[in-house]
Coordinates of all heavy atoms in Angstrom, one line a residue:
M1 N 10.8 3.7 90.4 CA 9.7 3.3 89.6 C 9.3 4.2 88.5 O 9.0 3.9 87.3 CB 8.5 3.1 90.6 CG 7.3 2.5 89.9 SD 6.8 1.1 90.7 CE 5.2 0.9 90.0
L2 N 9.4 5.5 88.7 CA 9.0 6.5 87.7 C 10.0 6.5 86.7 O 9.6 6.5 85.4 CB 9.1 7.9 88.4 CG 8.7 9.1 87.5 CD1 7.3 8.9 87.0 CD2 8.8 10.4 88.1
L3 N 11.3 6.2 86.9 CA 12.4 6.1 85.9 C 11.9 5.0 84.9 O 12.1 5.0 83.6 CB 13.7 5.9 86.5 CG 14.8 5.8 85.4 CD1 15.0 7.0 84.6 CD2 16.2 5.5 86.2
A4 N 11.6 3.8 85.5 CA 11.2 2.6 84.6 C 10.0 3.0 83.8 O 9.9 2.6 82.6 CB 11.0 1.5 85.5
A5 N 9.1 3.7 84.3 CA 7.9 4.1 83.5 C 8.2 4.9 82.3 O 7.8 4.8 81.2 CB 6.8 4.7 84.4
S6 N 9.1 5.9 82.6 CA 9.4 6.8 81.6 C 10.3 6.1 80.5 O 10.2 6.3 79.3 CB 10.2 8.1 82.0 OG 11.4 7.8 82.7
A7 N 11.2 5.1 80.9 CA 11.9 4.4 80.0 C 11.1 3.5 79.1 O 11.3 3.5 77.9 CB 13.0 3.5 80.8
G8 N 10.0 3.0 79.7 CA 9.1 2.2 78.9 C 8.3 3.0 77.8 O 8.3 2.6 76.7
F9 N 8.0 4.3 78.3 CA 7.4 5.2 77.3 C 8.4 5.5 76.2 O 7.9 5.5 75.0 CB 7.0 6.5 78.1 CG 6.3 7.6 77.3 CD1 5.1 7.2 76.8 CD2 6.9 8.6 76.9 CE1 4.3 8.2 76.0 CE2 6.2 9.7 76.1 CZ 4.9 9.3 75.6
S10 N 9.8 5.7 76.5 CA 10.6 6.0 75.3 C 10.7 4.9 74.4 O 10.8 5.1 73.1 CB 12.1 6.2 76.0 OG 11.9 7.4 76.7
V11 N 10.7 3.7 74.9 CA 10.8 2.5 74.1 C 9.5 2.4 73.2 O 9.6 2.1 71.9 CB 10.8 1.1 74.9 CG1 10.7 -0.1 74.1 CG2 12.2 1.1 75.6
A12 N 8.4 2.6 73.7 CA 7.1 2.6 73.0 C 7.2 3.8 71.8 O 6.8 3.4 70.7 CB 5.9 3.0 73.9
Q13 N 7.7 4.9 72.2 CA 7.8 5.9 71.2 C 8.8 5.5 70.1 O 8.5 5.7 68.9 CB 8.4 7.2 71.8 CG 7.4 8.0 72.5 CD 7.9 9.3 73.0 OE1 9.1 9.4 73.6 NE2 7.2 10.4 73.0
A14 N 9.9 4.8 70.4 CA 10.9 4.4 69.5 C 10.3 3.4 68.5 O 10.5 3.4 67.3 CB 12.2 3.9 70.1
Q15 N 9.5 2.6 69.0 CA 8.9 1.4 68.2 C 8.0 2.1 67.2 O 7.9 1.6 66.1 CB 8.3 0.5 69.1 CG 9.1 -0.5 69.8 CD 8.3 -1.3 70.8 OE1 7.2 -1.1 71.1 NE2 9.0 -2.4 71.3
E16 N 7.2 3.1 67.5 CA 6.4 3.8 66.7 C 7.1 4.4 65.3 O 6.6 4.5 64.3 CB 5.4 4.7 67.3 CG 4.4 4.2 68.2 CD 3.4 5.2 68.8 OE1 3.3 6.2 68.2 OE2 3.1 4.9 69.9
T17 N 8.3 4.9 65.7 CA 9.0 5.5 64.6 C 9.4 4.3 63.5 O 10.0 4.8 62.5 CB 10.2 6.3 65.1 OG1 11.2 5.4 65.7 CG2 9.9 7.4 66.1
N18 N 9.5 3.2 63.9 CA 9.9 2.1 63.0 C 8.5 1.5 62.3 O 8.6 0.2 62.0 CB 10.6 1.0 63.7 CG 11.8 1.6 64.4 OD1 12.5 2.6 63.8 ND2 12.2 1.3 65.6
A19 N 7.5 2.2 62.3 CA 6.2 1.8 61.7 C 6.1 2.3 60.3 O 6.5 3.5 60.1 CB 5.1 2.2 62.5
V20 N 5.7 1.5 59.3 CA 5.3 1.9 58.0 C 3.9 1.5 57.8 O 3.4 0.6 57.9 CB 6.2 1.2 57.0 CG1 5.8 1.5 55.6 CG2 7.7 1.4 57.2
T21 N 3.1 2.6 57.4 CA 1.8 2.3 57.0 C 1.5 2.1 55.5 O 2.4 2.6 54.6 CB 0.8 3.5 57.4 OG1 1.4 4.7 56.8 CG2 0.8 3.7 58.9
I22 N 0.6 1.3 55.2 CA 0.4 1.0 53.7 C -1.2 1.6 53.5 O -2.1 1.2 54.2 CB 0.2 -0.5 53.5 CG1 1.6 -1.1 53.8 CG2 -0.1 -0.8 52.0 CD1 1.5 -2.7 53.9
K23 N -1.1 2.7 52.7 CA -2.4 3.4 52.5 C -2.4 4.0 51.2 O -1.4 4.5 50.7 CB -2.6 4.5 53.7 CG -4.0 5.2 53.6 CD -4.1 6.0 54.8 CE -5.5 6.6 54.7 NZ -5.8 7.6 55.9
N24 N -3.6 4.1 50.5 CA -3.7 4.6 49.2 C -2.7 3.9 48.1 O -2.1 4.6 47.5 CB -3.5 6.2 49.2 CG -4.6 6.7 50.0 OD1 -5.7 6.4 50.0 ND2 -4.3 7.8 50.8
F25 N -2.5 2.7 48.4 CA -1.7 1.9 47.5 C -0.2 2.3 47.5 O 0.5 2.5 46.5 CB -2.2 1.8 46.1 CG -3.4 1.0 46.0 CD1 -4.6 1.4 46.2 CD2 -3.3 -0.5 45.7 CE1 -5.7 0.6 46.2 CE2 -4.3 -1.2 45.4 CZ -5.5 -0.8 45.8
M26 N 0.3 2.8 48.7 CA 1.7 3.4 48.9 C 2.1 2.9 50.3 O 1.4 2.9 51.2 CB 1.6 5.0 48.9 CG 1.4 5.5 47.5 SD 1.4 7.4 47.6 CE 3.0 7.6 48.2
F27 N 3.5 2.8 50.4 CA 4.2 2.7 51.7 C 4.5 4.0 52.2 O 5.0 4.9 51.4 CB 5.4 1.8 51.5 CG 5.2 0.3 51.1 CD1 5.4 0.0 49.8 CD2 4.9 -0.6 52.0 CE1 5.2 -1.3 49.5 CE2 4.7 -1.8 51.8 CZ 4.9 -2.3 50.4
S28 N 4.2 4.2 53.4 CA 4.5 5.5 54.0 C 5.1 5.4 55.3 O 4.5 4.9 56.3 CB 3.3 6.4 54.2 OG 3.5 7.7 54.7
P29 N 6.4 5.9 55.5 CA 7.3 6.6 54.5 C 7.7 5.5 53.4 O 7.8 4.4 53.7 CB 8.4 7.1 55.4 CG 8.5 6.2 56.5 CD 7.1 5.7 56.9
M30 N 8.1 6.1 52.4 CA 8.6 5.2 51.3 C 10.1 4.9 51.5 O 10.6 4.0 50.9 CB 8.3 6.0 49.9 CG 7.0 6.1 49.5 SD 6.9 7.0 47.9 CE 7.5 5.8 46.8
A31 N 10.7 5.6 52.4 CA 12.1 5.3 52.8 C 12.3 5.5 54.3 O 11.9 6.5 54.8 CB 13.1 6.2 52.0
I32 N 12.9 4.5 55.0 CA 13.0 4.6 56.4 C 14.5 4.1 56.8 O 15.0 3.2 56.1 CB 11.9 3.7 57.1 CG1 12.1 3.9 58.6 CG2 12.0 2.2 56.6 CD1 11.0 3.1 59.4
T33 N 15.0 4.8 57.7 CA 16.4 4.4 58.2 C 16.3 3.9 59.5 O 15.8 4.7 60.4 CB 17.4 5.6 57.9 OG1 17.4 6.0 56.6 CG2 18.9 5.2 58.4
V34 N 16.9 2.8 59.9 CA 16.9 2.2 61.2 C 18.3 1.6 61.5 O 19.1 1.4 60.7 CB 15.8 1.1 61.4 CG1 14.5 1.6 61.1 CG2 16.2 -0.1 60.4
K35 N 18.5 1.3 62.7 CA 19.7 0.8 63.2 C 19.6 -0.7 63.2 O 18.4 -1.3 63.3 CB 20.1 1.3 64.7 CG 20.4 2.6 64.8 CD 20.9 3.0 66.3 CE 21.2 4.5 66.3 NZ 21.4 5.0 67.6
A36 N 20.7 -1.4 62.9 CA 20.8 -3.0 62.9 C 20.0 -3.5 64.3 O 20.4 -2.8 65.4 CB 22.2 -3.4 62.8
G37 N 19.2 -4.4 64.1 CA 18.6 -5.1 65.3 C 17.3 -4.5 65.4 O 16.5 -4.9 66.4
T38 N 16.8 -3.6 64.6 CA 15.5 -2.8 64.8 C 14.4 -3.9 64.0 O 14.7 -4.2 62.9 CB 15.5 -1.5 64.1 OG1 16.5 -0.7 64.8 CG2 14.2 -0.7 64.1
T39 N 13.3 -3.9 64.7 CA 12.2 -4.5 64.0 C 11.3 -3.4 63.5 O 10.9 -2.5 64.0 CB 11.4 -5.3 65.0 OG1 12.3 -6.3 65.6 CG2 10.1 -6.0 64.4
V40 N 10.9 -3.6 62.1 CA 10.0 -2.6 61.4 C 8.7 -3.3 61.3 O 8.6 -4.5 61.1 CB 10.6 -2.3 60.0 CG1 9.7 -1.5 59.3 CG2 12.0 -1.6 60.2
T41 N 7.6 -2.5 61.6 CA 6.2 -3.0 61.5 C 5.5 -2.4 60.3 O 5.6 -1.2 60.3 CB 5.5 -2.9 62.7 OG1 6.2 -3.4 63.8 CG2 4.1 -3.3 62.7
W42 N 4.9 -3.2 59.4 CA 4.1 -2.6 58.4 C 2.8 -2.8 58.7 O 2.3 -3.9 59.2 CB 4.4 -3.2 57.1 CG 5.7 -2.9 56.5 CD1 6.0 -1.9 55.5 CD2 7.0 -3.5 56.7 NE1 7.3 -2.0 55.1 CE2 7.8 -2.9 55.9 CE3 7.4 -4.6 57.6 CZ2 9.3 -3.3 55.9 CZ3 8.6 -5.0 57.6 CH2 9.7 -4.3 56.6
K43 N 1.8 -1.8 58.5 CA 0.4 -2.0 58.8 C -0.4 -1.6 57.6 O -0.3 -0.4 57.1 CB 0.0 -1.2 60.0 CG -1.5 -1.4 60.4 CD -1.9 -0.7 61.7 CE -3.3 -1.0 62.1 NZ -3.6 -0.4 63.5
N44 N -1.3 -2.4 57.2 CA -2.2 -2.2 56.1 C -3.4 -1.4 56.4 O -4.2 -2.0 57.2 CB -2.6 -3.5 55.3 CG -3.4 -3.2 54.0 OD1 -3.4 -2.1 53.5 ND2 -3.9 -4.3 53.5
L45 N -3.6 -0.2 55.9 CA -4.9 0.6 56.3 C -5.7 0.6 55.0 O -6.8 1.1 55.2 CB -4.4 2.0 56.7 CG -3.5 2.2 57.9 CD1 -3.2 3.6 58.1 CD2 -4.1 1.5 59.1
D46 N -5.4 0.0 54.0 CA -6.2 0.0 52.8 C -7.3 -1.2 52.8 O -7.1 -2.2 53.7 CB -5.4 -0.3 51.5 CG -4.8 0.9 50.9 OD1 -5.2 2.0 51.3 OD2 -3.8 0.8 50.1
G47 N -8.3 -1.0 52.2 CA -9.3 -2.0 52.2 C -9.0 -3.2 51.3 O -9.6 -4.2 51.2
E48 N -8.0 -3.1 50.5 CA -7.3 -4.1 49.6 C -6.1 -4.9 50.4 O -5.4 -4.1 51.0 CB -6.8 -3.5 48.3 CG -8.0 -2.8 47.5 CD -8.9 -3.9 46.8 OE1 -8.3 -4.9 46.4 OE2 -10.1 -3.7 46.7
P49 N -6.1 -5.9 50.0 CA -4.9 -6.8 50.7 C -3.5 -6.3 50.0 O -3.5 -6.0 48.8 CB -5.1 -8.3 50.3 CG -6.1 -8.2 49.2 CD -6.9 -7.0 49.3
H50 N -2.5 -6.4 50.7 CA -1.1 -6.0 50.3 C -0.2 -7.0 50.9 O -0.5 -7.6 52.1 CB -0.7 -4.6 50.7 CG -1.5 -3.5 50.0 ND1 -1.5 -3.3 48.6 CD2 -2.5 -2.6 50.5 CE1 -2.4 -2.3 48.4 NE2 -2.9 -1.9 49.5
T51 N 1.0 -7.2 50.4 CA 2.1 -8.0 50.9 C 3.3 -7.1 51.1 O 3.5 -6.0 50.4 CB 2.4 -9.2 50.1 OG1 2.9 -8.9 48.8 CG2 1.2 -10.2 49.9
V52 N 4.2 -7.4 51.9 CA 5.5 -6.8 52.1 C 6.6 -7.8 51.6 O 6.8 -8.9 52.3 CB 5.7 -6.4 53.6 CG1 7.1 -5.7 53.7 CG2 4.5 -5.5 54.0
V53 N 7.3 -7.5 50.6 CA 8.2 -8.5 49.9 C 9.5 -7.8 49.8 O 9.6 -6.7 49.3 CB 7.7 -9.0 48.7 CG1 8.7 -10.0 48.0 CG2 6.3 -9.5 48.6
N54 N 10.5 -8.4 50.2 CA 12.0 -8.0 50.0 C 12.4 -8.6 48.6 O 12.3 -9.7 48.4 CB 12.9 -8.6 51.1 CG 14.4 -8.4 50.7 OD1 15.1 -9.3 50.6 ND2 14.8 -7.1 50.6
D55 N 13.0 -7.6 47.7 CA 13.2 -8.0 46.3 C 14.4 -9.1 46.3 O 14.5 -9.8 45.2 CB 13.5 -6.8 45.5 CG 14.9 -6.3 45.8 OD1 15.4 -6.5 46.8 OD2 15.3 -5.3 45.0
A56 N 15.2 -9.2 47.4 CA 16.2 -10.3 47.4 C 15.7 -11.6 47.9 O 16.5 -12.6 48.1 CB 17.4 -9.8 48.1
G57 N 14.5 -11.7 48.2 CA 13.9 -12.9 48.8 C 14.0 -13.2 50.2 O 13.9 -14.3 50.7
L58 N 14.6 -12.1 50.9 CA 14.9 -12.3 52.4 C 13.6 -12.7 53.2 O 13.6 -13.3 54.1 CB 15.6 -11.1 52.9 CG 16.2 -11.2 54.3 CD1 17.4 -12.2 54.2 CD2 16.9 -9.8 54.6
F59 N 12.6 -12.0 52.9 CA 11.2 -12.2 53.5 C 10.1 -11.9 52.7 O 10.3 -11.1 51.6 CB 11.1 -11.3 54.9 CG 11.3 -9.9 54.6 CD1 10.2 -9.0 54.3 CD2 12.6 -9.2 54.8 CE1 10.4 -7.7 54.0 CE2 12.7 -7.9 54.7 CZ 11.6 -7.1 54.3
R60 N 8.9 -12.4 53.0 CA 7.6 -12.1 52.3 C 6.5 -12.4 53.2 O 6.4 -13.4 53.8 CB 7.5 -13.2 51.1 CG 6.3 -13.0 50.3 CD 6.2 -14.1 49.2 NE 5.2 -13.6 48.2 CZ 5.5 -13.0 47.1 NH1 6.8 -12.8 46.7 NH2 4.5 -12.7 46.1
S61 N 5.8 -11.4 53.4 CA 4.5 -11.5 54.3 C 3.4 -12.2 53.6 O 3.4 -12.3 52.4 CB 4.0 -10.1 54.7 OG 3.2 -9.5 53.6
A62 N 2.5 -12.8 54.4 CA 1.3 -13.2 53.8 C 0.5 -12.0 53.3 O 0.8 -10.8 53.6 CB 0.5 -14.0 54.8
A63 N -0.6 -12.2 52.5 CA -1.4 -11.1 52.2 C -2.0 -10.4 53.5 O -2.6 -11.2 54.5 CB -2.7 -11.6 51.2
L64 N -1.8 -9.1 53.6 CA -2.3 -8.4 54.9 C -3.7 -7.8 54.5 O -3.7 -7.0 53.6 CB -1.3 -7.3 55.2 CG 0.0 -7.8 55.5 CD1 0.9 -6.5 55.8 CD2 0.1 -8.7 56.7
D65 N -4.7 -8.1 55.2 CA -5.9 -7.5 55.1 C -5.9 -6.1 55.9 O -4.9 -5.8 56.6 CB -7.1 -8.4 55.5 CG -7.4 -9.6 54.6 OD1 -7.2 -9.3 53.4 OD2 -7.7 -10.7 55.1
Q66 N -7.0 -5.3 55.8 CA -7.1 -4.1 56.5 C -6.9 -4.3 58.0 O -7.3 -5.1 58.5 CB -8.4 -3.5 56.2 CG -8.5 -2.0 56.7 CD -9.8 -1.3 56.1 OE1 -10.8 -2.0 56.0 NE2 -9.7 -0.1 55.9
N67 N -6.0 -3.3 58.5 CA -5.5 -3.3 59.9 C -4.6 -4.4 60.4 O -4.3 -4.6 61.6 CB -6.7 -3.2 60.8 CG -7.4 -1.8 60.6 OD1 -6.7 -0.9 60.4 ND2 -8.7 -1.8 60.6
E68 N -4.2 -5.3 59.5 CA -3.2 -6.4 59.7 C -1.9 -5.9 59.7 O -1.6 -4.9 59.0 CB -3.3 -7.7 59.0 CG -4.7 -8.4 59.3 CD -4.8 -9.7 58.5 OE1 -4.2 -9.8 57.3 OE2 -5.5 -10.6 59.1
T69 N -1.0 -6.5 60.4 CA 0.5 -6.0 60.5 C 1.5 -7.2 60.1 O 1.1 -8.4 60.2 CB 0.9 -5.4 61.8 OG1 0.8 -6.4 62.7 CG2 0.0 -4.3 62.2
F70 N 2.6 -6.8 59.7 CA 3.8 -7.6 59.4 C 5.0 -7.1 60.0 O 5.2 -5.8 59.9 CB 4.0 -7.9 57.9 CG 5.2 -8.7 57.5 CD1 5.3 -10.1 57.9 CD2 6.3 -8.1 57.1 CE1 6.5 -10.8 57.5 CE2 7.5 -8.7 56.7 CZ 7.5 -10.2 57.0
Q71 N 5.8 -7.9 60.8 CA 7.1 -7.3 61.3 C 8.2 -8.2 60.8 O 8.1 -9.3 60.5 CB 7.0 -7.6 62.9 CG 5.9 -6.7 63.5 CD 6.1 -6.8 65.0 OE1 6.2 -7.8 65.5 NE2 6.0 -5.6 65.6
Y72 N 9.4 -7.4 60.7 CA 10.6 -8.1 60.3 C 11.8 -7.4 61.0 O 11.7 -6.2 61.0 CB 10.9 -7.9 58.8 CG 12.1 -8.7 58.4 CD1 12.1 -10.2 58.2 CD2 13.3 -8.2 58.2 CE1 13.2 -10.8 58.0 CE2 14.5 -8.8 57.9 CZ 14.4 -10.1 57.8 OH 15.6 -10.9 57.5
K73 N 12.6 -8.2 61.7 CA 13.8 -7.6 62.4 C 15.0 -7.6 61.4 O 15.5 -8.7 60.9 CB 14.2 -8.5 63.6 CG 15.2 -8.0 64.4 CD 15.5 -8.8 65.7 CE 16.5 -8.3 66.5 NZ 16.8 -9.0 67.7
F74 N 15.5 -6.5 61.2 CA 16.7 -6.3 60.3 C 18.0 -6.3 61.1 O 18.3 -5.4 61.9 CB 16.6 -4.8 59.7 CG 15.5 -4.8 58.6 CD1 14.2 -4.4 59.1 CD2 15.7 -5.2 57.4 CE1 13.1 -4.3 58.1 CE2 14.6 -5.1 56.3 CZ 13.5 -4.7 56.8
D75 N 18.6 -7.4 61.1 CA 19.8 -7.7 61.8 C 21.2 -7.0 61.2 O 22.2 -6.8 61.9 CB 20.1 -9.1 62.1 CG 19.2 -9.6 63.2 OD1 18.7 -8.8 64.1 OD2 18.6 -10.8 62.9
K76 N 21.2 -7.0 59.8 CA 22.4 -6.7 59.1 C 22.3 -5.4 58.4 O 21.3 -5.2 57.7 CB 22.8 -7.7 58.2 CG 23.1 -9.2 58.8 CD 23.5 -10.2 57.7 CE 23.7 -11.5 58.4 NZ 24.1 -12.5 57.3
P77 N 23.3 -4.4 58.6 CA 23.3 -3.2 57.8 C 23.2 -3.5 56.2 O 23.7 -4.5 55.8 CB 24.6 -2.6 58.0 CG 25.0 -3.2 59.4 CD 24.6 -4.6 59.3
G78 N 22.5 -2.5 55.7 CA 22.4 -2.7 54.2 C 21.1 -1.9 53.6 O 20.5 -1.2 54.5
V79 N 20.9 -1.9 52.4 CA 19.7 -1.2 51.8 C 18.8 -2.3 51.2 O 19.1 -3.2 50.5 CB 20.1 -0.4 50.7 CG1 18.8 0.3 50.0 CG2 21.0 0.8 51.3
Y80 N 17.5 -2.3 51.8 CA 16.6 -3.4 51.6 C 15.4 -2.8 50.7 O 14.8 -1.8 51.2 CB 16.0 -4.1 52.9 CG 17.1 -4.7 53.7 CD1 17.9 -4.0 54.5 CD2 17.4 -6.1 53.5 CE1 18.9 -4.5 55.3 CE2 18.3 -6.8 54.3 CZ 19.1 -5.9 55.2 OH 20.1 -6.6 55.9
K81 N 15.2 -3.3 49.5 CA 14.2 -2.9 48.6 C 13.0 -3.7 48.9 O 13.1 -4.9 49.0 CB 14.7 -2.9 47.1 CG 15.8 -1.9 46.9 CD 16.2 -2.0 45.4 CE 17.3 -1.1 45.2 NZ 17.1 0.4 45.2
I82 N 11.8 -2.9 49.1 CA 10.6 -3.7 49.5 C 9.5 -3.2 48.3 O 9.6 -2.2 47.8 CB 10.1 -3.0 50.9 CG1 11.1 -3.1 52.0 CG2 8.9 -3.8 51.3 CD1 11.7 -4.3 52.3
F83 N 8.7 -4.3 48.1 CA 7.5 -4.0 47.2 C 6.3 -4.9 47.6 O 6.5 -5.8 48.5 CB 8.0 -4.3 45.9 CG 8.2 -5.7 45.5 CD1 7.2 -6.5 44.9 CD2 9.5 -6.2 45.7 CE1 7.4 -7.9 44.6 CE2 9.7 -7.6 45.4 CZ 8.6 -8.5 44.8
C84 N 5.2 -4.5 47.1 CA 3.9 -5.3 47.3 C 3.8 -6.3 46.3 O 4.0 -6.0 45.0 CB 2.7 -4.4 47.4 SG 1.2 -5.3 47.3
G85 N 3.9 -7.6 46.6 CA 3.7 -8.6 45.6 C 2.5 -8.7 44.8 O 2.4 -9.2 43.7
I86 N 1.4 -8.1 45.3 CA 0.2 -7.9 44.6 C 0.2 -6.8 43.7 O -0.4 -6.8 42.6 CB -1.0 -7.9 45.7 CG1 -1.1 -9.1 46.5 CG2 -2.4 -7.7 44.9 CD1 -2.0 -9.0 47.7
H87 N 0.8 -5.7 44.1 CA 0.8 -4.4 43.3 C 2.3 -4.0 43.3 O 2.8 -3.2 44.1 CB 0.0 -3.3 44.1 CG -1.3 -3.8 44.5 ND1 -1.7 -4.2 45.8 CD2 -2.4 -3.8 43.8 CE1 -3.0 -4.6 45.8 NE2 -3.5 -4.5 44.8
P88 N 3.1 -4.6 42.3 CA 4.5 -4.3 42.3 C 5.0 -2.9 42.1 O 6.2 -2.6 42.3 CB 5.0 -5.2 41.1 CG 3.8 -6.1 40.8 CD 2.5 -5.6 41.4
N89 N 4.1 -2.1 41.7 CA 4.4 -0.6 41.5 C 4.5 0.0 42.8 O 5.1 1.2 43.0 CB 3.5 0.2 40.7 CG 1.9 0.0 41.3 OD1 1.5 -1.0 41.7 ND2 1.3 1.1 41.3
M90 N 4.1 -0.6 44.0 CA 4.3 -0.1 45.4 C 5.6 -0.5 45.9 O 6.0 -1.7 46.0 CB 3.2 -0.7 46.2 CG 1.8 -0.2 46.0 SD 0.6 -1.2 47.0 CE 1.2 -0.9 48.7
R91 N 6.5 0.6 46.1 CA 7.8 0.2 46.4 C 8.3 1.1 47.6 O 7.8 2.3 47.8 CB 8.8 0.6 45.2 CG 8.5 -0.3 44.0 CD 9.6 -0.4 43.1 NE 9.3 -1.5 42.1 CZ 9.8 -2.7 42.3 NH1 10.6 -3.0 43.3 NH2 9.6 -3.7 41.4
A92 N 9.4 0.6 48.4 CA 9.8 1.3 49.4 C 11.2 0.9 49.7 O 11.6 -0.2 49.2 CB 9.0 1.2 50.7
T93 N 12.0 1.6 50.5 CA 13.4 1.1 50.9 C 13.5 1.3 52.5 O 13.1 2.2 53.1 CB 14.4 2.1 50.2 OG1 14.0 2.1 48.8 CG2 15.8 1.7 50.5
V94 N 14.2 0.3 53.0 CA 14.6 0.2 54.4 C 16.1 0.3 54.4 O 16.8 -0.6 53.8 CB 14.1 -1.0 55.1 CG1 14.7 -1.0 56.5 CG2 12.5 -1.2 55.1
T95 N 16.7 1.3 55.0 CA 18.2 1.3 55.0 C 18.5 1.0 56.5 O 18.1 1.6 57.4 CB 18.7 2.8 54.8 OG1 18.3 3.1 53.4 CG2 20.3 2.9 54.8
V96 N 19.5 0.1 56.7 CA 19.8 -0.4 58.0 C 21.3 0.0 58.2 O 22.1 -0.4 57.4 CB 19.6 -1.9 58.1 CG1 20.0 -2.4 59.6 CG2 18.2 -2.3 57.8
Q97 N 21.6 0.7 59.3 CA 22.8 1.2 59.5 C 23.5 0.2 60.6 O 22.9 -0.2 61.5 CB 22.9 2.7 60.1 CG 22.3 3.6 59.0 CD 22.2 5.0 59.4 OE1 21.9 5.3 60.6 NE2 22.2 6.0 58.6

């Protein structure tokens, strides 16, 4: 039972490392590297709405208000360029191995 609890804790920790915050009109971190099959979560901490858009059209979030999140599971290796559809100067990269 203790083993299962510690394994669950490890999974929770791993999920947090796949989190990107949106704050001060920036994605943080601006570049993240994950393994194929990983779900990345973006959370908007700004008072202004933001979107999470892939420049190749693979995904596009709805406008995220403060404290709202968007998740996307990256199944295929590659480099994914991300930007905010409302503020296109906000850019980030997700590298999937």
Side-chain angles (χ1 to χ4, degrees):
M1 182 124 168
L2 184 60
L3 182 60
S6 66
F9 183 68
S10 297
V11 169
Q13 282 182 320
Q15 288 173 343
E16 286 185 31
T17 63
N18 302 321
V20 177
T21 57
I22 304 169
K23 189 171 181 182
N24 299 323
F25 290 82
M26 291 178 61
F27 291 103
S28 179
M30 291 177 68
I32 185 173
T33 301
V34 298
K35 292 182 179 175
T38 298
T39 299
V40 175
T41 302
W42 289 265
K43 183 172 184 176
N44 182 15
L45 299 179
D46 277 344
E48 294 288 321
H50 295 293
T51 62
V52 180
V53 182
N54 168 244
D55 71 347
L58 195 60
F59 57 85
R60 177 185 198 98
S61 75
L64 302 175
D65 288 326
Q66 192 169 29
N67 293 318
E68 288 186 331
T69 61
F70 171 74
Q71 291 185 317
Y72 185 80
K73 183 176 179 181
F74 291 89
D75 288 322
K76 296 182 182 175
V79 176
Y80 298 83
K81 294 182 185 285
I82 312 295
F83 68 95
C84 172
I86 301 169
H87 311 99
N89 58 317
M90 293 173 54
R91 299 194 165 272
T93 304
V94 177
T95 302
V96 181
Q97 298 177 332

